Amino acid sequence: MFRRPLTPEEDSRAGRLKVNIAQSIFEGQRRGDGRNNPNGWVAADEALVREAELLFQKTELSIGGYELTLLADVNGREPVLKRLSLVIYDYHLLTLASQMSDIKYGAGITMPMNPAKELWVITSNLP
């Protein structure tokens, strides 16, 4: 995932947002809101969607190069398993941001994300 690690507060907020968005969609389905939408989908409350967008914007990484270190906990020690580098380009961030338009329908919450909006990033081994 292309974001910095969430703080405990952000993680809690993200969890609450997922539950609230799912509940909002469910309530809309119960009311029959999908009848007025050509595709039958029910959108979550706009305030919840906007809050999710703001959290996403706050936690996304910037364009640029990154180095990653994969560690493992082995009997209390953390040996380095692998060191990698990768580059995040503008199209990566544009693709990820485009996922937000699907969040209001529950993508990644009550149904899978759109596979066309997933990313693969080429990594290089570091010494």
Side-chain angles (χ1 to χ4, degrees):
M1 296 175 54
F2 291 101
R3 62 174 168 78
R4 63 170 173 72
L6 298 177
T7 65
E9 294 80 18
E10 290 168 338
D11 191 38
S12 176
R13 184 174 164 205
R16 281 193 313 273
L17 275 169
K18 287 180 181 180
V19 169
N20 291 339
I21 287 172
Q23 186 63 35
S24 177
I25 291 169
F26 176 75
E27 290 298 324
Q29 290 169 333
R30 195 175 58 75
R31 287 189 307 268
D33 293 351
R35 290 185 302 235
N36 300 325
N37 190 334
N39 61 19
W41 292 1
V42 173
D45 178 83
E46 281 298 318
L48 293 171
V49 174
R50 184 66 189 138
E51 188 177 347
E53 289 172 346
L54 291 172
L55 180 61
F56 173 81
Q57 290 168 359
K58 184 178 176 185
T59 60
E60 74 179 10
L61 294 176
S62 302
I63 295 169
Y66 292 86
E67 292 185 4
L68 305 118
T69 303
L70 181 61
L71 304 171
D73 185 338
V74 180
N75 298 323
R77 296 177 309 129
E78 291 186 341
V80 173
L81 299 181
K82 197 166 208 174
R83 294 187 63 230
L84 302 166
S85 68
L86 62 89
V87 177
I88 296 177
Y89 296 102
D90 59 345
Y91 74 90
H92 290 130
L93 299 181
L94 291 171
T95 301
L96 290 174
S98 73
Q99 292 177 352
M100 293 309 297
S101 64
D102 300 341
I103 291 287
K104 68 180 171 186
Y105 299 113
I109 299 171
T110 61
M111 63 180 170
M113 295 298 290
N114 180 345
K117 295 182 178 183
E118 292 179 357
L119 292 175
W120 292 90
V121 177
I122 298 171
T123 61
S124 303
N125 288 331
L126 292 172

